[in-house]
């Protein structure tokens, strides 16, 4: 559990001479290693934070392409709304079970390259593969035998009928025979209906969507843990805000890039259209950003951390142990002085021990006496390995403070996902009056695509809002306190989403999308800023089965980041399973924006119960 009232952690680390001395010793020790790790104990500049967090900017480019185009792509290849929302639930269902495991693996990875970067690299490769499968699913499906889009002559007279290509020498139409051979659709004599055959494309696109979404979500855990590991506790606020600023910047550029009609450019024509152009650019940008982050700062490998205490993070518990040790030395010197005085005041008998030996005995006895608050047990426990059973218990039996934080994060993600995953579909259908299931050459489908592009610009506004709010969130916390910033931001978003749902038009899409950026900034900042503070205070411990006394083990930072961040999977499963049914019942995609408003309001209520330490 988090302790009650605690002293200001930042002020102590900045002003305490004991802390400064301990940090200096650690920095010198880290510099003397085979590789220089002294940067771990130094303050970081804004440029350093940008280098470490560059990967989140690349991930936001991926998210921008995913949220803007995956739903239209799935609808365009014949998947209905309720099935499309279920597709979105597959990845989080897998991630819900695997994300904490990935966090635990990251905590215990013994690679010479560190604990976080190898996991981040592996997930990054999977993300790139997913980004390539989604836009090229139709092409791969065509290679595997898909017929693609089949439109009759009555649908669009300007298009050459498919049946014209499928007649024998006597003029007898063979379309019905062809379809029966593929056993996919039953075709009447009138072939005016719009038909599609994207069997393989559907499979490939769904696999790509799962890979892209799963790896993007799980990249968050090692990237955040890497950021907090490399930075000092007093830098956690600026580190998290920099993380959010880059997220918003990447999203704004990514969505704006998606709003461009690349079909009218030679570059877009060369790559095969707007969607393929956007995803190709996203893959290149993400690869560059991932490389920048991986090459920014060297991590201290876990074996070195276990072997050398001076390479471990400087937590408050370590400071308390050092102060207790110094106080014990002072008492020892006093005891030695008293012993020396007593010996000098008496006449040494032949049977007495020499005075120096008595002094040595007294000194040894005092050194062996443990001081109150000594962390020897903690030092031993830090090296104990967590069994799978202990790991599951650390998740199920989490401290109350983390449980409340998880609940708040869950509703925040439900609000954000309701808005982000279906927003371009909402704009295309409700604002522009388009139809994603219409033939690709029809006016309704073109209106839908225009709405999707317009929605991309609206989401660019929300990303700019995210960056702006993230840039000021640290100052807002100092002025208004964290509770007000957290709860107030969620209430503002709830009001904004509600107004957008009641008045769906081009103006509200632009103006009120900015409130969605507030939630995204809070999602990237507040939970992990609080977790960093909780762990910097050394307040979380989990009893080890069979242990006695104080024999406890600390919770891993990456594990808790994975648990709290893993609420995205629960939220995505909930939204995916429920949103399609809601759209069907109410007959409008405006329900997704109403849902975002309600979830933000519930999240604000939960945020009022979060433990904020001294923030």
């Amino acid at each position: 559990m988090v302790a009650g009232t605690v002293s200001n952690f930042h002020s102590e680390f900045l002003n305490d001479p004991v802390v400064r001395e301990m940090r200096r010793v650690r920095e010198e020790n880290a510099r003397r290693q085979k590789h220089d790790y002294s940067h771990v104990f130094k303050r970081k500049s804004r440029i350093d934070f940008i280098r470490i967090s560059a990967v989140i900017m690349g991930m936001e480019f991926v998210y921008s392409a995913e949220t803007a185009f995956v739903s239209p792509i799935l609808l365009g290849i014949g998947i209905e709304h309720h099935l499309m929302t279920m597709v979105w639930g597959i990845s989080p269902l897998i991630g819900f079970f695997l994300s904490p495991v990935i966090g635990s693996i990251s905590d215990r990875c013994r690679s010479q390259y560190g604990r976080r970067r190898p996991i981040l690299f592996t997930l990054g490769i999977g993300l790139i593969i997913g980004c390539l499968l989604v836009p090229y699913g139709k092409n791969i499906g065509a290679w595997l035998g898909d017929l693609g889009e089949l439109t009759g002559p009555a649908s669009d007279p300007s298009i050459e009928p498919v049946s014209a290509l499928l007649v024998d020498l006597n003029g007898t139409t063979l379309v019905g025979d062809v379809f029966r051979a593929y056993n996919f659709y039953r075709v009447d004599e009138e072939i005016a209906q719009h038909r599609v055959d994207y069997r393989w494309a559907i499979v490939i696109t769904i696999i790509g969507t799962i890979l892209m979404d799963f790896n993007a979500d799980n990249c968050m855990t090692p990237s955040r843990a890497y950021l907090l590991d490399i930075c000092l506790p007093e830098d956690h606020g600026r580190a998290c805000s920099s993380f959010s600023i880059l997220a918003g910047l990447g999203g704004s550029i990514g969505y704006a890039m998606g709003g461009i009609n690349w079909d009218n450019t030679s570059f877009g024509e060369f790559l095969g259209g707007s969607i393929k152009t956007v995803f190709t650019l996203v893959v290149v940008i993400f690869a560059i950003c991932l490389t920048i982050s991986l090459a920014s700062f060297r991590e201290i490998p876990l074996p070195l951390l276990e072997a050398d205490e001076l390479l471990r993070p400087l937590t408050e518990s370590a400071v308390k142990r050092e102060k207790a040790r110094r106080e014990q030395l002072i008492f020892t010197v006093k005891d030695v002085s008293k012993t020396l005085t007593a010996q000098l005041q008496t006449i040494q008998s032949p049977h007495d021990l020499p005075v120096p030996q008595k002094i040595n005995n007294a000194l040894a006895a005092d050194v062996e006496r443990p001081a109150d608050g000594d962390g020897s047990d903690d030092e031993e426990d830090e090296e104990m390995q967590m069994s799978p059973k202990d790991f599951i218990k650390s998740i199920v039996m989490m401290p109350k403070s983390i449980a409340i934080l998880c609940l708040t994060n869950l509703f925040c993600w439900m609000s954000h996902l309701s808005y982000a995953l279906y927003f371009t579909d909402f704009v295309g259908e409700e604002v522009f009056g388009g139809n994603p299931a219409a033939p690709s050459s029809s006016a309704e489908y073109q209106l839908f695509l225009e709405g999707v592009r317009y929605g991309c610009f609206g989401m660019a506004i929300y990303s700019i809002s995210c960056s702006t709010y993230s840039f000021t969130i640290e100052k807002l916390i100092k002025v208004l306190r964290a509770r007000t910033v957290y709860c107030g931001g969620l209430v503002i978003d709830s009001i904004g989403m509600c107004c957008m749902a009641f008045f769906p038009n081009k103006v509200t899409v632009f103006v009120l999308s900015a409130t969605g950026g507030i939630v995204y900034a809070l999602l990237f900042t507040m939970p992990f800023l609080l977790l960093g503070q909780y762990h910097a205070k050394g307040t979380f411990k989990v009893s080890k089965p069979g242990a006695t006394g104080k024999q406890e083990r600390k919770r891993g930072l990456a594990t808790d980041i994975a648990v709290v961040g893993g609420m995205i999977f629960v939220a995505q499963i909930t939204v995916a399973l429920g949103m399609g049914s809601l759209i069907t019942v109410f007959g409008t995609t405006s329900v997704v924006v109403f849902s975002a408003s309600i979830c933000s309001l519930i999240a604000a209520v939960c945020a009022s119960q979060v433990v904020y330490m001294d923030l």
Side-chain angles (χ1 to χ4, degrees):
M1 291 288 292
V2 175
T5 303
V6 293
S7 59
N8 190 288
F9 186 72
H10 290 177
S11 299
E12 179 179 358
F13 266 69
L14 288 172
N15 303 320
D16 195 324
V18 175
V19 173
R20 290 200 298 268
E21 174 63 19
M22 292 178 69
R23 181 172 295 162
R24 186 193 65 80
V25 171
R26 279 166 166 73
E27 184 178 333
E28 289 297 326
N29 178 64
R31 188 177 289 110
R32 290 194 297 267
Q33 302 298 318
K34 180 180 178 181
H35 298 287
D36 186 359
Y37 301 110
S38 59
H39 53 265
V40 176
F41 302 99
K42 293 179 180 178
R43 298 293 300 271
K44 301 292 189 301
S45 66
R46 184 69 73 174
I47 298 297
D48 293 332
F49 294 138
I50 292 174
R51 291 170 58 200
I52 299 170
S53 305
V55 65
I56 187 56
M57 184 174 178
M59 280 191 284
E60 283 304 309
F61 273 92
V62 174
Y63 276 128
S64 66
E66 179 187 30
T67 55
F69 294 115
V70 170
S71 290
I73 288 173
L74 294 174
L75 292 170
I77 58 178
I79 299 179
E80 299 293 336
H81 270 104
H82 66 283
L83 295 176
M84 182 264 292
T85 56
M86 291 180 66
V87 170
W88 282 115
I90 298 175
S91 167
L93 184 62
I94 299 172
F96 177 73
F97 294 101
L98 293 186
S99 182
V101 177
I102 292 173
S104 179
I105 292 173
S106 177
D107 278 331
R108 295 185 289 173
C109 178
R110 306 183 71 82
S111 169
Q112 61 177 330
Y113 300 105
R115 294 183 291 171
R116 319 301 184 188
R117 292 186 300 168
I119 309 299
L120 187 56
F121 175 77
T122 304
L123 294 172
I125 296 299
L127 190 152
I128 290 173
I129 295 173
C131 283
L132 293 174
L133 291 179
V134 168
Y136 290 97
K138 283 186 179 181
N139 300 78
I140 299 173
W143 295 339
L144 296 175
D146 285 351
L147 292 178
E149 187 173 340
L150 303 169
T151 308
S155 175
D156 190 347
S158 64
I159 298 179
E160 182 179 5
V162 177
S163 59
L165 304 176
L166 300 171
V167 296
D168 61 12
L169 295 176
N170 296 322
T172 305
T173 302
L174 302 178
V175 173
D177 294 332
V178 172
F179 276 115
R180 277 189 289 274
Y182 279 95
N183 195 27
F184 189 67
Y185 286 116
R186 181 179 178 181
V187 179
D188 300 324
E189 292 182 359
E190 294 184 0
I191 53 176
Q193 276 190 313
H194 176 235
R195 304 288 190 180
V196 293
D197 177 8
Y198 288 121
R199 290 169 295 177
W200 284 106
I202 288 173
V203 174
I204 298 299
T205 305
I206 289 176
I207 292 174
T209 301
I210 295 171
L211 276 174
M212 180 170 56
D213 195 45
F214 174 83
N215 287 286
D217 290 340
N218 282 280
C219 274
M220 295 292 183
T221 296
S223 60
R224 286 191 177 109
Y226 176 47
L227 177 69
L228 297 178
D229 283 348
I230 295 297
C231 298
L232 295 172
E234 58 265 36
D235 282 339
H236 283 175
R238 287 205 308 154
C240 289
S241 65
S242 299
F243 199 80
S244 298
I245 290 169
L246 287 179
L249 181 62
S252 60
I253 299 175
Y255 286 118
M257 190 169 67
I260 299 173
N261 188 357
W262 294 95
D263 291 332
N264 297 331
T265 65
S266 57
F267 183 66
E269 186 178 352
F270 172 75
L271 291 176
S274 289
I275 292 179
K276 292 176 182 176
T277 302
V278 170
F279 274 95
T280 302
L281 292 173
V282 161
V283 167
V284 173
I285 292 170
F286 173 76
I288 293 173
C289 292
L290 177 64
T291 303
I292 292 173
S293 288
L294 294 177
S296 59
F297 289 98
R298 186 184 293 273
E299 289 184 85
I300 304 177
L302 183 57
L304 279 181
L305 288 173
E306 293 174 340
D308 191 345
E309 181 189 357
L310 294 179
L311 291 175
R312 298 174 191 174
L314 185 56
T315 61
E316 189 178 22
S317 60
V319 174
K320 287 181 178 179
R321 289 198 301 269
E322 177 63 17
K323 288 182 176 180
R325 188 187 67 82
R326 295 190 180 199
E327 290 175 0
Q328 186 62 45
L329 286 176
I330 293 173
F331 290 130
T332 298
V333 171
K334 288 181 179 179
D335 290 342
V336 170
S337 176
K338 290 178 182 178
T339 302
L340 178 60
T341 301
Q343 293 298 328
L344 292 175
Q345 289 176 351
T346 59
I347 300 174
Q348 182 176 331
S349 67
H351 301 287
D352 286 340
L353 291 171
V355 173
Q357 183 61 47
K358 288 189 175 183
I359 295 174
N360 288 339
N361 291 346
L363 179 60
D366 285 327
V367 170
E368 290 174 1
R369 238 184 357 253
D372 291 339
D374 188 10
S376 58
D377 289 333
D378 291 337
E379 292 174 1
E380 293 175 1
D381 296 330
E382 286 177 358
E383 299 179 0
M384 294 193 307
Q385 293 295 323
M386 181 181 284
S387 67
K389 184 178 179 181
D390 297 335
F391 167 69
I392 295 173
K393 282 190 174 182
S394 73
I395 298 173
V396 177
M397 303 175 64
M398 65 178 67
K400 182 180 178 181
S401 53
I402 290 188
I404 297 174
L405 197 59
C406 283
L407 188 62
T408 305
N409 212 36
L410 170 62
F411 284 105
C412 283
W413 273 116
M414 287 179 64
S415 171
H416 173 69
L417 291 173
S418 297
Y419 163 79
L421 293 183
Y422 311 108
F423 181 70
T424 54
D425 183 36
F426 160 75
V427 177
E429 293 191 48
E430 297 299 322
V431 179
F432 280 74
N435 182 6
S440 60
S441 59
S442 66
E444 285 185 318
Y445 187 76
Q446 295 304 316
L447 276 175
F448 176 75
L449 290 183
E450 185 181 350
V452 169
R453 288 193 291 268
Y454 191 88
C456 286
F457 286 116
M459 298 195 79
I461 296 296
Y462 118 85
S463 295
I464 292 172
S465 170
C466 173
S467 288
T468 304
Y469 194 73
S470 299
F471 189 76
T472 59
I473 196 168
E474 191 176 5
K475 294 180 181 178
L476 288 174
I477 289 174
K478 290 180 180 179
V479 175
L480 302 176
R481 310 299 291 176
R483 188 185 304 274
T484 303
V485 173
Y486 208 176
C487 298
L490 291 168
V491 170
I492 291 172
D493 177 69
S494 177
I495 295 172
M497 291 293 112
C498 186
C499 292
M500 186 189 297
F502 275 115
F503 309 103
N505 56 66
K506 293 182 179 180
V507 176
T508 56
V509 164
F510 257 68
V511 176
L512 298 179
S513 286
T515 62
I518 295 176
V519 173
Y520 207 39
L522 293 173
L523 279 168
F524 270 82
T525 305
M526 292 303 301
F528 309 102
L529 175 60
L530 292 171
L531 276 180
Q533 291 302 297
Y534 294 165
H535 280 268
K537 298 292 293 182
T539 50
F540 292 136
K541 294 181 180 180
V542 179
S543 298
K544 185 171 180 64
T548 57
K550 294 184 178 180
Q551 198 171 14
E552 298 176 322
R553 191 188 190 280
K554 292 184 179 179
R555 298 176 62 92
L557 175 60
T559 300
D560 280 338
I561 289 177
V563 171
V564 175
M567 292 300 102
I568 184 178
F569 301 117
V570 182
Q572 201 166 339
I573 292 170
T574 306
V575 171
L577 295 180
M579 196 57 67
S581 299
L582 288 176
I583 293 173
T584 302
V585 170
F586 289 95
T588 173
T589 51
S590 294
V591 71
V592 302
V593 187
F594 274 118
S595 299
S597 175
I598 294 171
C599 290
S600 285
L601 185 61
I602 298 174
V605 175
C606 296
S608 65
Q609 304 302 312
V610 169
V611 178
Y612 289 94
M613 309 293 283
D614 276 344
L615 292 176

